[in-house]
Amino acid sequence: MRADVQQVADGIYLVHGSNTNWVIIGEGDAVTLIDTGYPGDRQLVLDSLSQVGSSPEAVAAILVTHAHNDHIGSAEYLRSTYGTPVLTHEAEVPHARRDFLHQVSVGEVLKNGWRPGVLPWAVHAIRSGGTAQVPVIEPQPFPESLDLPGGPVPVHTPGHTDGHCAFHLPDAGVVISGDALVSGHPTSRLKGPQLLPDMFHRERARAVASLDLLEGLAADVVLPGHGPVHHGSVREAAGQARERAQRRGVLE
């Protein structure tokens, strides 16, 4: 099975794994890898690097938007095998080590099992390693100056998790939004910019508030943690997601 690799700008690729995306940013012979999918996506991660003419040895660092299993699935494998540093927000470091786990529980999933798409998604998540133990043994907080291929700039967007970060690529006009702003998910009937369903967020109110931070970024391409690439103003995308979140809150 080949990874679904989509070039969205010069040297910037969105990769669709099994229900989760990751991003490859190339500059010269080196690349930055943002997120790594589920544990079961490992071969897809390696294949995606190969497809863009790179390799695990060329990964300068793995940037983690947040430490849920569907985003850090192969981070420790790459760290321990190739010595690749794994960097994340300081508030997410203990989460990546699994000092604690802030992730939707099986009980919460079952409670929401009546919702369209939830049970098929849950089966896929379990089969892909969504409940596996995949701690990163030595995650590191972002240094003061993040000098990596593509020039990604961390933007702390808490709510989905305490240390969730999006990444802005100012020169390319791209935002890698992780799960702070998505464009689709198997458990959602909505298409286009939105927040994930409430059961996935550590603090829903903070997740909604973090849309303000995304609105302030200059970008016209959004690469989400779930769903297809979104072409259009990130300001408008964040506004649409907020409106949908407010409507959902009223309805529920």
Side-chain angles (χ1 to χ4, degrees):
M1 181 178 179
R2 284 175 63 79
D4 180 2
V5 179
Q6 178 184 3
Q7 183 169 1
V8 296
D10 187 26
I12 303 172
Y13 305 86
L14 180 66
V15 187
H16 302 283
S18 60
N19 287 353
T20 305
N21 303 331
W22 55 91
V23 176
I24 302 171
I25 309 168
E27 188 176 287
D29 295 330
V31 300
T32 301
L33 177 62
I34 300 182
D35 289 345
T36 65
Y38 278 103
D41 289 339
R42 179 182 300 173
Q43 193 55 50
L44 293 177
V45 172
L46 298 176
D47 179 62
S48 67
L49 290 168
S50 176
Q51 283 192 53
V52 304
S54 189
S55 66
E57 293 87 347
V59 179
I62 299 164
L63 299 182
V64 173
T65 60
H66 64 293
H68 285 161
N69 275 18
D70 58 332
H71 292 260
I72 65 164
S74 291
E76 175 58 22
Y77 166 76
L78 293 169
R79 189 203 67 82
S80 61
T81 305
Y82 300 99
T84 315
V86 179
L87 309 177
T88 192
H89 188 274
E90 61 182 356
E92 203 71 3
V93 166
H95 193 198
R97 283 197 306 253
R98 287 298 180 262
D99 296 355
F100 52 81
L101 177 61
H102 291 158
Q103 188 167 284
V104 64
S105 67
V106 173
E108 189 71 14
V109 170
L110 293 175
K111 189 167 70 174
N112 285 272
W114 60 274
R115 298 178 182 274
V118 169
L119 291 182
W121 165 82
V123 170
H124 175 273
I126 292 170
R127 288 176 174 171
S128 299
T131 58
Q133 290 295 319
V134 288
V136 180
I137 304 304
E138 294 180 2
Q140 302 173 38
F142 300 132
E144 278 191 30
S145 177
L146 193 60
D147 183 17
L148 289 173
V153 178
V155 181
H156 186 208
T157 46
H160 185 64
T161 65
D162 292 344
H164 187 287
C165 272
F167 296 95
H168 187 206
L169 307 180
D171 293 342
V174 172
V175 168
I176 296 119
S177 59
D179 285 4
L181 174 65
V182 302
S183 60
H185 192 267
T187 63
S188 172
R189 287 175 288 186
L190 300 175
K191 303 295 183 184
Q194 61 188 283
L195 289 181
L196 287 170
D198 291 352
M199 68 175 176
F200 293 111
H201 298 303
R202 167 83 170 148
E203 294 182 72
R204 181 186 188 275
R206 292 183 80 194
V208 174
S210 282
L211 293 171
D212 294 349
L213 301 172
L214 295 178
E215 276 188 323
L217 301 177
D220 55 12
V221 177
V222 179
L223 306 184
H226 302 274
V229 57
H230 177 78
H231 294 280
S233 161
V234 68
R235 173 179 291 276
E236 294 178 2
Q240 183 178 355
R242 182 186 297 102
E243 290 176 8
R244 287 174 155 181
Q246 291 169 344
R247 193 178 310 130
R248 180 186 292 157
V250 169
L251 292 175
E252 295 183 353

